[in-house]
Amino acid sequence: MTYYLGIDGGGTKTYALLTDDCGNVLGKGVGGNGNHQIDHALAAQSIRKAAEGALNEAGLRIHEISHTFFGLAGADREADYRILHPLVQDIGFTRNYSIDCDTMIGLRAGTNRPYGVALICGTGTNAAGRNQAGQHVQVGGFNYMYGDFGGGGSLNIEVFRSVIRSWDGREQTTLLTPLLLNFLGYDSVSDMFDDFQDHGKHVPVHAAKLLFEAAAEDDAVALEILNRQGVELGKSASAVIHKLGMEEDRFDVVLAGSLLTRGDRGWIRNMVEQTVATVAPKATIVTLATEPVVGALWSAMDADGHAVSQDVYDKMRVFCDFEHIKLTTR
Amino acid sequence: MTYYLGIDGGGTKTYALLTDDCGNVLGKGVGGNGNHQIDHALAAQSIRKAAEGALNEAGLRIHEISHTFFGLAGADREADYRILHPLVQDIGFTRNYSIDCDTMIGLRAGTNRPYGVALICGTGTNAAGRNQAGQHVQVGGFNYMYGDFGGGGSLNIEVFRSVIRSWDGREQTTLLTPLLLNFLGYDSVSDMFDDFQDHGKHVPVHAAKLLFEAAAEDDAVALEILNRQGVELGKSASAVIHKLGMEEDRFDVVLAGSLLTRGDRGWIRNMVEQTVATVAPKATIVTLATEPVVGALWSAMDADGHAVSQDVYDKMRVFCDFEHIKLTTR
């Protein structure tokens, strides 16, 4: 029998999924932070725990796995790979494995093709792609100084500063004002301003979600911020497409990350669609609904030269939440 | 005889200028950082040193001064004034004195009227104004999170990220690329990117000045950043004008800070002019050429009810550099 193992290592959770070549789920494993840039020792421990959890549940040993694919947050640059290869080899994965950044498994989970473009907009933003020749590029994924704009972390600040600018007369009035005051529990912007200044408070987390509430009421300020986010992601997608020479290709642009999969009703997506339509007319925009670890598993099959069947796509496409993926009863 | 003392307390230097009511310079004093937000004890010491330097040179005591005007960086909010009044009183200034933020003495130095609007664009940005009724407002002056955009600190980042974005395909090519590589001593953007990433380097200081070099060659990316800075300052000016009800008034909008007084050949200023023209058609934009401590001295005369004469304006307007202000020989 042929077995595959997919690993999704993120900043808070690491997931491992083990199936046979028909997509029957034989084992699952969970660990904590799997991003070595955050904590190397913890990442090593989390990845080991998740992998061993899945193997033990399936009653299998590492050498019985045909291919293991690690999709790891923090696998960005050559310097990262010089750290990550010893890390997974220490666990026992000495051959038949691949490492790539988590963006690429998000991409793989969202498309029935082993190539395409992925745009991530979660806490930060990231863009990456792979063409039919297997070439891979990444654009962005660092922070504002390195050219990015947006993601939840930045949009929290945009919400806060828009309310300040509306209050001090630099910007028009916005529904974000009552929404943010209510969210943070202040009676007035002046009270909020003073409290933040007096106590050196940091930008409020989760304020970005208020953009969706305000946009639903046609608030111009919120719409402008969300559109700007869409334009930015569109520019990232265009850069990836041009670098990979995919202008004439038929492929999916997969949108992933909480801001794109939860909350957005097209305010961001429409701008991405418009930009992509001009540079790659045959591309299709899809919003990721499948758990990214599934992409790691399909990538393991790809790497092993095993074409993912329509049956496997259909069976596993519906895995939307790792916790709810059930072991296959046979 | 009537004597006036003007103090300009900034983040690196504190200047004191003492004249009689005819603008004859009788004493000068210098201290270090005068911003209590940076270092309270040092600010107190710097302000004392500068004030006593000027008094000693003039051979005068505090009680002989008709009015002293402190223009202090960091005199932003009520909480600051609760600290600053005891601070200057400890030095001996128990009456006939005023404290205001340094923006207001920059304003006063740039206009022959005791009212107007000041826009600062140095390391950060700030905007403030006073109307004919003596009302005063400030807009911004904090940082990006609190609604500001620009100033040298932020524009350094804009230059860096524009070069990254041009390199990774998210933005058009720009002359900022060869200028920044030459400025920082790298052969390629890739080398620069890796070195900054590998060594966690911070944004290069003084990179903002490259915007002016590129703009002089009609570089679209540089022009867009400078125009955006101008639009932002224009919005701040408009907010101040509206808050003070100065839409119909004849007054000066004084541009101060290194980015506006050194380097800009109208790229920023023209956008400010356009915005201000629509909200206050009788306003005039002027670029500050006079040393701000002169504004502190004229403010001292204003506060004492002593109208600054044309002769004093003419005599002191030419004080462009504190170190070159000479004592009046009589």
Side-chain angles (χ1 to χ4, degrees):
Chain A
M1 190 56 109
T2 316
Y3 303 107
Y4 296 104
L5 179 58
I7 312 269
D8 173 14
T12 52
K13 285 267 188 193
T14 298
Y15 292 139
L17 183 66
L18 198 163
T19 74
D20 61 21
D21 56 354
C22 299
N24 293 305
V25 178
L26 308 177
K28 286 166 62 181
V30 177
N33 164 45
N35 183 335
H36 77 99
Q37 292 178 357
I38 297 173
D39 185 331
H40 180 276
L42 184 57
Q45 184 191 313
S46 302
I47 294 166
R48 179 189 292 272
K49 184 163 172 276
E52 291 182 349
L55 287 161
N56 291 340
E57 192 163 51
L60 293 168
R61 310 279 296 277
I62 287 177
H63 71 268
E64 296 177 88
I65 306 298
S66 296
H67 203 94
T68 301
F69 197 98
F70 296 87
L72 304 177
D76 294 321
R77 302 165 58 238
E78 223 178 282
D80 297 306
Y81 286 86
R82 284 196 293 270
I83 292 164
L84 292 170
H85 281 291
L87 187 155
V88 303
Q89 288 173 9
D90 271 358
I91 301 174
F93 294 93
T94 50
R95 56 191 192 88
N96 302 337
Y97 78 88
S98 313
I99 303 176
D100 209 335
C101 69
D102 59 338
T103 314
M104 295 309 289
I105 61 169
L107 163 61
R108 192 65 188 87
T111 179
N112 284 8
R113 302 180 176 102
Y115 52 88
V117 172
L119 298 175
I120 314 286
C121 191
T123 304
T125 72
N126 203 346
R130 178 181 284 127
N131 63 16
Q132 293 187 54
Q135 286 177 293
H136 163 234
V137 302
Q138 184 193 333
V139 166
F142 298 93
N143 57 37
Y144 187 83
M145 176 173 160
Y146 288 91
D148 296 351
F149 168 78
S154 298
L155 295 190
N156 291 334
I157 296 177
E158 294 299 317
V159 168
F160 186 86
R161 79 190 293 269
S162 295
V163 170
I164 297 290
R165 285 165 68 84
S166 174
W167 166 67
D168 68 22
R170 280 183 281 184
E171 207 53 80
Q172 59 187 299
T173 55
T174 168
L175 289 174
L176 293 169
T177 301
L179 288 168
L180 184 66
L181 293 178
N182 179 55
F183 180 62
L184 297 178
Y186 294 103
D187 291 330
S188 68
V189 179
S190 163
D191 285 355
M192 181 184 82
F193 180 89
D194 283 338
D195 189 41
F196 268 67
Q197 283 280 337
D198 291 343
H199 302 101
K201 288 196 173 181
H202 294 292
V203 64
V205 289
H206 305 312
K209 70 178 182 185
L210 304 175
L211 290 169
F212 298 121
E213 295 183 42
E217 304 287 331
D218 272 332
D219 181 70
V221 172
L223 287 170
E224 193 189 324
I225 295 169
L226 292 173
N227 286 349
R228 185 178 167 203
Q229 180 69 84
V231 168
E232 276 299 312
L233 293 171
K235 284 188 183 188
S236 299
S238 301
V240 170
I241 290 164
H242 288 312
K243 274 174 192 277
L244 291 172
M246 296 172 80
E247 293 89 344
E248 303 301 323
D249 296 357
R250 196 172 298 278
F251 62 92
D252 291 319
V253 175
V254 177
L255 307 182
S258 57
L259 268 79
L260 290 165
T261 58
R262 290 194 289 266
D264 184 50
R265 293 196 216 157
W267 302 296
I268 302 175
R269 182 181 160 130
N270 290 346
M271 301 309 290
V272 175
E273 241 158 1
Q274 284 176 33
T275 310
V276 170
T278 63
V279 297
K282 293 181 201 151
T284 306
I285 311 289
V286 295
T287 301
L288 182 65
T290 305
E291 179 68 50
V293 75
V294 170
L297 201 117
W298 291 344
S299 297
M301 292 179 175
D302 295 340
D304 194 40
H306 175 80
V308 182
S309 68
Q310 190 59 48
D311 177 57
V312 168
Y313 279 132
D314 292 344
K315 196 184 289 181
M316 301 185 69
R317 172 74 62 213
V318 297
F319 294 170
C320 298
D321 185 339
F322 187 76
E323 288 174 30
H324 296 129
I325 300 176
K326 289 190 173 55
L327 294 198
T328 306
T329 45
R330 286 187 291 183
Chain B
M1 189 56 108
T2 315
Y3 303 108
Y4 296 104
L5 180 57
I7 312 268
D8 173 14
T12 52
K13 284 269 188 190
T14 298
Y15 292 140
L17 184 66
L18 197 164
T19 75
D20 61 22
D21 56 353
C22 299
N24 292 305
V25 178
L26 308 177
K28 286 165 63 181
V30 177
N33 164 46
N35 183 336
H36 77 99
Q37 293 178 354
I38 298 173
D39 185 330
H40 180 275
L42 184 58
Q45 185 192 315
S46 302
I47 293 167
R48 179 190 292 272
K49 184 162 172 277
E52 290 181 349
L55 287 161
N56 289 341
E57 191 163 52
L60 293 169
R61 310 278 295 279
I62 287 177
H63 70 266
E64 296 177 89
I65 305 297
S66 297
H67 203 91
T68 300
F69 197 98
F70 297 87
L72 304 178
D76 293 322
R77 302 164 58 240
E78 223 178 281
D80 298 305
Y81 285 86
R82 282 197 294 269
I83 292 164
L84 291 169
H85 282 291
L87 186 156
V88 304
Q89 287 172 9
D90 271 357
I91 302 174
F93 294 92
T94 50
R95 57 193 191 87
N96 302 337
Y97 79 86
S98 312
I99 303 176
D100 210 335
C101 69
D102 60 338
T103 315
M104 296 308 291
I105 62 170
L107 164 61
R108 192 64 187 87
T111 178
N112 284 8
R113 301 180 176 101
Y115 53 88
V117 172
L119 299 176
I120 315 285
C121 191
T123 304
T125 72
N126 204 346
R130 179 181 283 127
N131 63 15
Q132 293 187 54
Q135 287 176 293
H136 163 237
V137 301
Q138 185 193 335
V139 166
F142 298 93
N143 56 39
Y144 187 82
M145 176 172 159
Y146 288 91
D148 296 352
F149 168 78
S154 298
L155 295 189
N156 291 333
I157 296 177
E158 294 299 319
V159 168
F160 186 86
R161 80 191 294 270
S162 295
V163 171
I164 298 290
R165 285 164 67 84
S166 174
W167 166 68
D168 69 21
R170 280 183 282 184
E171 206 52 81
Q172 59 186 301
T173 56
T174 167
L175 289 175
L176 292 170
T177 301
L179 288 169
L180 185 65
L181 292 178
N182 179 55
F183 180 63
L184 297 178
Y186 293 103
D187 291 328
S188 68
V189 180
S190 163
D191 286 354
M192 180 184 83
F193 180 88
D194 284 338
D195 190 42
F196 269 67
Q197 284 280 339
D198 291 343
H199 302 101
K201 288 196 172 182
H202 294 291
V203 63
V205 289
H206 305 312
K209 70 179 182 186
L210 304 176
L211 290 169
F212 298 121
E213 294 182 43
E217 305 286 330
D218 272 333
D219 182 71
V221 172
L223 288 170
E224 193 189 324
I225 294 169
L226 292 173
N227 286 349
R228 184 177 168 205
Q229 179 69 85
V231 168
E232 276 300 312
L233 293 170
K235 283 187 184 189
S236 298
S238 302
V240 170
I241 289 164
H242 288 313
K243 275 174 191 277
L244 292 171
M246 295 171 79
E247 293 90 345
E248 302 302 322
D249 296 357
R250 195 173 296 281
F251 62 91
D252 292 319
V253 175
V254 177
L255 307 182
S258 56
L259 269 79
L260 289 165
T261 58
R262 291 193 289 267
D264 184 51
R265 291 197 218 156
W267 302 296
I268 302 175
R269 181 181 162 132
N270 289 346
M271 300 308 291
V272 176
E273 241 158 2
Q274 283 175 34
T275 310
V276 169
T278 63
V279 296
K282 293 181 197 150
T284 306
I285 311 291
V286 296
T287 300
L288 182 64
T290 304
E291 178 68 48
V293 73
V294 170
L297 202 118
W298 292 344
S299 297
M301 292 180 175
D302 295 339
D304 194 40
H306 176 81
V308 181
S309 68
Q310 192 58 48
D311 177 56
V312 168
Y313 278 131
D314 294 343
K315 195 184 288 179
M316 300 184 69
R317 171 74 63 212
V318 296
F319 295 170
C320 298
D321 184 339
F322 187 77
E323 289 174 27
H324 294 132
I325 300 175
K326 288 191 172 59
L327 294 197
T328 307
T329 47
R330 289 187 292 181

